[in-house]
Amino acid sequence: MRLILEVWRQDGPDAEGSFETHEINDATPEMSLLELLDRLNHQLVEDDQDPVAFESDCREGICGTCGLDVNGVPHGPEDNVPACGQHVRSFSDGQTVRFTPFRAKSFPVVRDLIVDRTGLDRIIQAGGTISVDAGTAPDADTLLVTHDDAERALDFAACIGCGACVSACPNGAAYLYTGAKLSHLALIPHGKEERAKRARSMITQMQHEFGPCSQIGECALACPANIPLVAIAAVNRERLRAGFKKGKPN
Amino acid sequence: MNATPDTPVSEQKGAQVATEIDRLRVVGKPLDGHLPDVHPRDAWTDRKLHYNLVNPNNRRKFKVIVVGTGLSGAGAAAALGELGYDVDVFSFHDVPRRAHSIAAQGGINSPRARKVDNDSIDRFVKDTVKGGDYRGREEDAYRLGEEGIRVINHMQAIGAAFAREYGGQLATRSFGGVQVSRTYYTRGQTGQQLELAAAHALSRQVAAGTCKLHSRQEMLDLIVKDGRAQGIVVRDLVTGKVRAQTAHAVILCTGGYGNIYYKATLAKNSNATAIWRAYKRGAYFANPCFVQIHPTALPLMSKWQSKKTLMSESLRNDGRIWAPRKKQDDRDPNTIPEEERFYFLEERYPAFGNLVPRDVASRNIRERIDAGYGVGPLHNAVYLDFRTGIERLGVKLIRERYSNLFNMYEELTGEDPYKTPMRIAPSVHFTMGGLWTDYDQMTSIPGLFIGGEAGWAYHGANRLGANSLLSGCVDGWFTLPYAVPNYLAGLLGQAALDPGDQAVRDTVKYVQDGIDHLLSIDGTYGPDHFHEQLGAILDRYASVSRDPEGLATAIGEIRKLREEFWRDVKVVGEGDRLNQELETAGRVADYLELGELLCIDALDRDESAGAHFRTDHEIDGEAKRDDEDWCFCSAWEYPGDPSARPIRNFEPLTFRAVPLQQRNYK
């Protein structure tokens, strides 16, 4: 297959960026889009040109390292699939595939297709954790968690932290991400203790770096971990709940 | 391919090999693992009692470096931070949560023995030691089991949502190599949930200021001064700046080296650089030839496929493995009649059938493929067929058990495994070798500690499924936090090495010179080209089966390739910015040295053990250990020059709780 690749090139966060056009003549349907970029880079290195910088690691959809926009869509044309699981078979011979970095004000470009997503981690550092030191946990069987609660917690805990939800959102909001974390921790016993405090600090941090939610729902379509859209409602619910708990420890 | 199992090896050949190995290595000294002089069962209790402690007020005076943020790295950093030490954590990722522990799906063992299926710590040790084919320490296995009991409590308390029974108790399942149910799990994402919990616990310490996180930084050397590890040199992957960080102790939790084979199930960035450079500074490298080849990965499907993807071993519970009886049979598998299918595992191993251990399954699958019976467009796979399973249990139950794996397979291949048999092939998965450590997890360089897959502990020559997540968690959260302070206690009153010290400046300069040299070669091929060739050599001669002649050939070919690399590698771009080609080049340079050591170790180890299957040491196609001559851990010492002969030291292994016996699955 022949594909035209338009790739965003940018030297650093403050540099001007522009598109470069390349052609791949031996693409095959079973290649992933990241393997297509590997192929391009091989070609570029052969021609003594700088390969395109892009990120990936596990290439099996779990680490959340890969992330780029393909023809304007986070990760690529198929809904709920990470870039490493998107394939050339989604395109037809001669088609143009345009790679751009995740588009969000809070994700500055590091180089080419790599962006800085540490803003998401700062939301965790603000309080998305549970205060248990090593060696101080009680027997896990003494705290019952029903099968259904554990499964519901897992639906939210599945988030791979790739940031596609932010890129998909016209406002660059991180509600799906933050809501997933809040919901996960609110559903398990130890997480409940710090629920209100956590909601206040995480949401404050989120608002500090990311945009507001207008409940359009693109985030859930882009999410490779299928985080349910109700996660965005959890942000407001947890905030409201934390408001009622003001002055109390939880 | 390698010689078939029935190739006779004459005594004459054996003598040749003996001469050959003497040209390649020097035999060194016996090593002391610093084991407590008590029964292995009591070793950990005894050792803990004798460990020196550091007063809480003194802890902040000690600086500790942790490299890697997987289960062991994040755990060790968070635990030491909680205790009050001054911790610097380094990761080449943008955020800690990306570490490859995240991809381990199956589950985590813990001998909590809550059921009446007769589990116990002793049984856990027996399974672990046997699973490692008696090439690991009993004492390590006991320590792992004892601390492993409380890991589940801790990990669930910090946020990992484990599978629960309807009423709320923790659920367990059984796993390969074990007859009791001691594996705790979280759907097919146990590694992800444990890694997230650990990374979040680390984030808590980062916010509290006890751990300082340095992300997008790659360790490129170890600073050794006065015979002690006192710091590391890192390259900032964004700015290219090379700098040093000093500390009282260094802990490496940098994972396994399986990517040396080029295509493996590991993440693309997993590499051996940190442990290899520590080896070159004097840390011994244990058992590099012990590499696990997992039987059920997806085969390569195209030239550009970047890596292999693992399908869970659990599929072998209801899937039947077969290959056509006719060579190059390209018919639609559903049209191949029953009598033309060779269910080779069921026929050869009637007692265990499709559930034989990983090394046995991998060898048999590889044998069929190499003999010309492989299927698929590249004839490089065999079938894993669910037809009988679906007939027996119904689609609904099969879907409940495996749907996430079936979906993943379909996503990757575009084929529906409910209708067409899966195609699977062996792939390099987990490395049991790694830096040698004593019972206190300290390497041969005082002050350098190891956690997780970067070390050699627990796994012997083989691995017990679901024990690796356990070892990562236990090392990080519950054993390094005892052993490291014991070492630090002896340094009370001493400041960390001055960053302006000559040893620091020399090491930084050495690293910078190495980078400049790589950039200056300006050859013909990118680093990936050399990596691919190295992978092909290792895959051909040092994979599921090895023979002395093949290994000797591999050593020669690797040396030639290494020479070509240093003459003809092309690293485009500059060093003072983000440059992924440069990162790859450094890692491949290290692999080209480690690959040779791996083959020398395989040639030296004149026996079969677990995943190390030598065709000249087998009984009826089964690995034949030689406990009389080889019941030890090989710990390789760097001779100071890549072209000199490495020194093979050895730590004798003794088995008191689990007497030596031959494994047999027939």
Side-chain angles (χ1 to χ4, degrees):
Chain A
M1 271 171 84
R2 193 178 71 93
L3 290 171
I4 315 292
L5 269 52
E6 286 181 1
V7 187
W8 184 258
R9 305 303 299 260
Q10 186 175 338
D11 274 348
D14 304 319
E16 287 264 310
S18 62
F19 281 104
E20 248 179 41
T21 307
H22 297 280
E23 214 178 285
I24 298 288
N25 290 314
D26 56 357
T28 53
E30 67 274 8
M31 280 167 100
S32 76
L33 295 190
L34 300 184
E35 285 159 4
L36 190 65
L37 286 174
D38 289 340
R39 173 73 192 94
L40 170 66
N41 279 346
H42 185 84
Q43 198 167 297
L44 290 172
V45 170
E46 270 188 356
D47 299 342
D48 286 322
Q49 293 180 51
D50 237 353
V52 179
F54 70 98
E55 278 190 293
S56 74
D57 203 24
C58 76
R59 298 210 180 184
E60 43 192 74
I62 199 79
C63 72
T65 308
C66 65
L68 33 80
D69 286 355
V70 182
N71 292 348
V73 183
H75 288 308
E78 273 192 69
D79 288 343
N80 305 118
V81 175
C84 57
Q86 301 271 355
H87 287 82
V88 167
R89 57 175 176 263
S90 299
F91 297 94
S92 47
D93 197 28
Q95 206 177 332
T96 298
V97 189
R98 173 179 272 219
F99 290 97
T100 41
F102 268 165
R103 193 176 28 184
K105 220 169 102 189
S106 35
F107 290 166
V109 170
V110 176
R111 185 179 184 85
D112 296 344
L113 302 175
I114 301 178
V115 296
D116 178 354
R117 287 168 286 183
T118 49
L120 295 177
D121 231 39
R122 285 188 286 275
I123 297 177
I124 300 297
Q125 285 165 16
T129 60
I130 300 173
S131 306
V132 177
D133 281 356
T136 63
D139 187 323
D141 269 317
T142 58
L143 286 166
L144 299 182
V145 185
T146 65
H147 175 78
D148 291 351
D149 273 351
E151 291 295 311
R152 275 204 300 148
L154 276 173
D155 289 340
F156 296 105
C159 168
I160 63 172
C162 65
C165 49
V166 179
S167 185
C169 176
N171 305 332
Y175 268 57
L176 194 74
Y177 175 82
T178 312
K181 299 290 174 186
L182 289 170
S183 304
H184 161 213
L185 295 173
L187 281 160
I188 55 177
H190 290 280
K192 284 176 183 157
E193 294 304 319
E194 296 160 298
R195 188 171 172 180
K197 185 171 166 276
R198 172 185 309 120
R200 282 194 288 268
S201 52
M202 286 179 78
I203 294 168
T204 305
Q205 178 62 30
M206 177 194 78
Q207 288 173 327
H208 177 63
E209 287 198 52
F210 294 88
C213 171
S214 28
Q215 312 210 4
I216 298 168
E218 269 108 333
C219 50
L221 275 185
C223 175
N226 283 299
I227 301 298
L229 192 58
V230 294
I232 65 172
V235 175
N236 287 327
R237 189 191 66 227
E238 292 295 314
R239 175 168 37 203
L240 197 63
R241 191 184 167 283
F244 285 122
K245 297 273 177 187
K246 247 188 189 144
K248 294 176 191 167
N250 184 23
Chain B
M1 73 152 277
N2 296 338
T4 49
D6 53 2
T7 304
V9 177
S10 68
E11 278 178 22
Q12 198 189 356
K13 267 185 180 171
Q16 269 171 11
V17 169
T19 334
E20 177 74 18
I21 191 66
D22 285 335
R23 286 200 301 112
L24 290 164
R25 61 104 179 87
V26 176
V27 175
K29 56 185 186 288
L31 297 177
D32 184 352
H34 302 124
L35 300 165
D37 189 21
V38 293
H39 188 276
R41 193 180 286 118
D42 306 317
W44 184 229
T45 311
D46 181 78
R47 179 53 53 91
K48 278 193 292 185
L49 189 62
H50 292 100
Y51 272 152
N52 293 313
L53 305 179
V54 177
N55 174 317
N57 287 325
N58 284 332
R59 290 176 193 162
R60 61 177 172 273
K61 297 174 189 163
F62 289 112
K63 291 176 79 70
V64 179
I65 288 170
V66 179
V67 186
T69 57
L71 282 179
S72 55
L80 290 167
E82 286 166 9
L83 287 169
Y85 296 95
D86 181 4
V87 184
D88 281 282
V89 193
F90 291 83
S91 169
F92 57 47
H93 291 290
D94 59 340
V95 293
R97 54 158 299 144
R98 312 269 188 236
H100 194 54
S101 302
I102 205 152
Q105 301 161 339
I108 174 169
N109 282 340
S110 173
R112 290 158 55 91
R114 292 302 164 87
K115 296 191 170 162
V116 290
D117 59 357
N118 203 357
D119 197 10
S120 64
I121 290 186
D122 285 307
R123 193 173 295 281
F124 168 85
V125 171
K126 188 173 164 187
D127 290 339
T128 301
V129 169
K130 277 180 75 179
D133 215 359
Y134 296 91
R135 292 297 174 258
R137 287 194 199 112
E138 272 183 339
E139 287 82 355
D140 286 356
Y142 269 106
R143 190 184 64 208
L144 181 66
E146 275 172 59
E147 295 295 346
I149 289 175
R150 57 167 158 169
V151 155
I152 304 298
N153 300 341
H154 179 68
M155 297 314 287
Q156 96 98 40
I158 60 170
F162 284 106
R164 295 277 178 165
E165 302 291 355
Y166 191 76
Q169 303 288 338
L170 288 162
T172 56
R173 61 184 171 200
S174 50
F175 223 72
V178 171
Q179 287 168 307
V180 296
S181 183
R182 70 161 77 100
T183 307
Y184 294 78
Y185 64 99
T186 301
R187 287 185 189 156
Q189 8 171 293
T190 317
Q192 186 195 13
Q193 293 312 317
L194 296 175
E195 172 62 30
L196 285 180
H200 288 182
L202 173 59
S203 293
R204 176 174 156 242
Q205 296 308 312
V206 171
T210 62
C211 292
K212 190 157 181 244
L213 179 65
H214 309 266
S215 52
R216 293 199 196 270
Q217 317 236 338
E218 180 165 33
M219 169 176 161
L220 293 182
D221 216 331
L222 181 77
I223 299 167
V224 181
K225 161 112 183 178
D226 302 332
R228 289 194 285 124
Q230 303 207 46
I232 60 171
V233 175
V234 292
R235 178 173 181 268
D236 183 311
L237 298 181
V238 179
T239 65
K241 193 172 157 34
V242 174
R243 69 170 184 98
Q245 174 87 40
T246 60
H248 292 91
V250 177
I251 306 174
L252 302 186
C253 302
T254 52
Y257 52 88
N259 268 350
I260 193 172
Y261 285 76
Y262 190 60
K263 300 274 201 289
T265 63
L266 282 82
K268 291 285 285 175
N269 291 315
S270 300
N271 67 83
T273 287
I275 52 171
W276 189 250
R277 306 232 170 146
Y279 164 75
K280 291 178 80 170
R281 293 281 171 194
Y284 300 161
F285 204 115
N287 303 330
C289 80
F290 291 164
V291 176
Q292 184 193 77
I293 290 113
H294 199 288
T296 59
L298 299 191
L300 284 185
M301 281 168 276
S302 76
K303 173 171 160 41
W304 292 102
Q305 188 172 324
S306 50
K307 68 183 283 280
K308 293 190 179 173
T309 301
L310 194 70
M311 286 279 119
S312 167
E313 161 167 39
S314 63
L315 291 171
R316 287 196 277 145
N317 278 305
D318 291 307
R320 298 176 71 194
I321 291 173
W322 62 277
R325 287 193 187 272
K326 208 170 75 182
K327 282 187 184 178
Q328 305 261 320
D329 192 339
D330 289 329
R331 284 177 288 174
D332 169 359
N334 286 321
T335 66
I336 299 178
E338 201 65 16
E339 62 276 11
E340 291 180 48
R341 301 173 173 202
F342 183 18
Y343 294 92
F344 48 94
L345 292 180
E346 296 172 32
E347 209 162 296
R348 290 174 183 168
Y349 307 92
F352 281 73
N354 293 295
L355 289 174
V356 289
R358 291 176 182 178
D359 57 318
V360 179
S362 296
R363 266 200 311 278
N364 278 276
I365 294 170
R366 177 74 178 247
E367 182 273 326
R368 280 292 86 191
I369 293 170
D370 284 344
Y373 299 91
V375 300
L378 303 177
H379 299 107
N380 59 353
V382 296
Y383 291 120
L384 176 60
D385 195 341
F386 289 87
R387 190 173 69 175
T388 324
I390 289 171
E391 276 166 14
R392 183 165 48 90
L393 304 163
V395 173
K396 192 167 163 280
L397 195 60
I398 291 288
R399 187 165 278 138
E400 266 175 35
R401 283 186 188 171
Y402 309 113
S403 65
N404 62 331
L405 295 163
F406 278 35
N407 293 343
M408 190 163 111
Y409 183 85
E410 190 167 0
E411 197 177 273
L412 288 165
T413 64
E415 286 173 21
D416 178 1
Y418 292 100
K419 295 189 178 122
T420 310
M422 282 185 183
R423 281 176 290 125
I424 52 144
S427 171
V428 167
H429 180 50
F430 188 95
T431 44
M432 279 78 65
L435 291 189
W436 179 84
T437 47
D438 65 7
Y439 186 62
D440 302 319
Q441 291 174 271
M442 191 155 82
T443 65
S444 46
I445 304 176
L448 181 68
F449 293 82
I450 304 293
E453 197 184 346
W456 78 289
Y458 316 117
H459 301 293
N462 230 14
R463 182 177 73 119
L464 198 61
N467 256 16
S468 38
L469 284 180
L470 177 66
S471 57
C473 290
V474 164
D475 282 357
W477 290 106
F478 294 115
T479 55
L480 287 166
Y482 289 98
V484 175
N486 171 59
Y487 169 79
L488 293 174
L491 298 175
L492 191 62
Q494 290 192 40
L497 187 63
D498 178 4
D501 190 275
Q502 192 61 38
V504 176
R505 290 204 306 247
D506 287 349
T507 317
V508 169
K509 181 169 185 308
Y510 181 79
V511 169
Q512 188 63 57
D513 288 350
I515 290 170
D516 295 342
H517 179 55
L518 273 174
L519 287 163
S520 72
I521 297 170
D522 196 25
T524 319
Y525 300 104
D528 231 30
H529 166 83
F530 295 94
H531 192 180
E532 186 171 7
Q533 291 195 55
L534 173 65
I537 296 169
L538 292 173
D539 186 60
R540 180 158 178 223
Y541 297 113
S543 182
V544 293
S545 62
R546 297 104 187 254
D547 65 73
E549 292 73 27
L551 289 164
T553 309
I555 292 164
E557 288 187 10
I558 293 170
R559 285 181 174 173
K560 204 165 131 261
L561 186 65
R562 191 165 64 229
E563 190 269 320
E564 269 172 47
F565 174 89
W566 287 109
R567 184 166 37 80
D568 205 21
V569 71
K570 170 165 70 177
V571 185
V572 297
E574 293 85 47
D576 58 355
R577 60 166 179 82
L578 192 142
N579 184 339
Q580 293 173 320
E581 288 288 289
L582 177 62
E583 293 167 29
T584 309
R587 295 167 190 174
V588 173
D590 293 337
Y591 279 149
L592 285 165
E593 293 176 4
L594 170 54
E596 182 180 332
L597 188 69
L598 191 157
C599 293
I600 292 177
D601 186 42
L603 183 58
D604 181 47
R605 185 163 282 276
D606 195 18
E607 66 160 352
S608 291
H612 168 63
F613 183 81
R614 282 264 298 252
T615 53
D616 50 340
H617 294 284
E618 50 106 0
I619 327 170
D620 303 334
E622 297 300 314
K624 184 169 173 286
R625 277 198 333 261
D626 176 356
D627 292 327
E628 202 147 299
D629 299 313
W630 289 92
C631 195
F632 59 75
C633 161
S634 298
W636 294 89
E637 182 179 346
Y638 185 61
D641 181 326
S643 58
R645 288 182 297 170
I647 303 145
R648 193 254 288 148
N649 301 310
F650 54 101
E651 182 194 337
L653 299 169
T654 50
F655 295 92
R656 284 203 266 178
V658 193
L660 286 156
Q661 63 177 83
Q662 192 66 38
R663 296 197 308 160
N664 185 353
Y665 298 94
K666 294 208 163 154

